[in-house]
Amino acid sequence: MIRMGSVLFTAWHTPGHTRGATTWIMNLVLDGRSYVVVFPDDAGFNPGYRIAKNPSYPGIEDDFRKTHHMLEMLKPDIWLAQHNEYYDFEGKRKRAETEGVKAWIDPEGYRRFVAGKKRVFEDEVDEELGAPKAPAK
């Protein structure tokens, strides 16, 4: 845990993207309302990583699965990430000019982000193992 003034950040080890990947969680109080804010680690794999077949490091597949599960269990009001396009930083910033903090509240966007990262991971595992691809819908 790290305290910055009245804000307490809690670090959670969420390996996979890198062995030391970290997700940060904090509570933020604005105008008397408390918000859970999550800074998830990318949860995606780096180019060249091998997950299931001849893995890039021992345990990488389990690391990703545990990380995805942990991220799924979080219920943030607000989420931010290391790549602004993940959470529409520019759009939310523009909306915040008139909506204030409400523009940043996006639990559904967070769930889509995590589900997308998990899907890409599972597709990569299937590809590495030579599993047949599901028919397109």
Side-chain angles (χ1 to χ4, degrees):
M1 293 185 186
I2 298 173
R3 181 173 299 282
M4 294 174 60
S6 64
V7 179
L8 181 66
F9 290 87
T10 303
W12 290 90
H13 185 222
T14 50
H17 182 65
T18 65
R19 286 183 183 184
T22 305
T23 292
W24 293 89
I25 303 168
M26 63 178 264
N27 287 316
L28 177 65
V29 178
L30 292 171
D31 300 325
R33 176 151 184 231
S34 180
Y35 300 93
V36 175
V37 182
V38 172
F39 302 84
D41 181 69
D42 186 335
F45 46 89
N46 289 314
Y49 263 28
R50 295 171 314 283
I51 308 296
K53 196 172 189 180
N54 189 23
S56 292
Y57 68 81
I60 189 172
E61 186 174 352
D62 285 341
D63 280 352
F64 269 107
R65 289 189 194 289
K66 289 174 187 171
T67 288
H68 290 144
H69 179 72
M70 187 266 193
L71 294 177
E72 286 174 324
M73 295 299 102
L74 297 176
K75 307 293 183 215
D77 300 299
I78 298 169
W79 66 290
L80 306 167
Q82 67 278 31
H83 298 288
N84 291 340
E85 65 273 11
Y86 287 171
Y87 64 101
D88 187 26
F89 174 79
E90 290 300 329
K92 289 177 180 174
R93 187 175 70 156
K94 180 132 180 80
R95 287 182 25 232
E97 293 173 9
T98 56
E99 297 176 34
V101 71
K102 284 186 350 186
W104 297 97
I105 298 173
D106 186 17
E108 278 301 313
Y110 174 79
R111 283 190 280 283
R112 283 191 307 272
F113 168 77
V114 173
K117 292 295 183 176
K118 187 176 179 181
R119 178 76 267 147
V120 169
F121 167 79
E122 294 298 343
D123 289 348
E124 177 65 20
V125 169
D126 288 349
E127 185 176 319
E128 286 184 25
L129 296 176
K133 293 190 185 243
K137 293 181 180 184

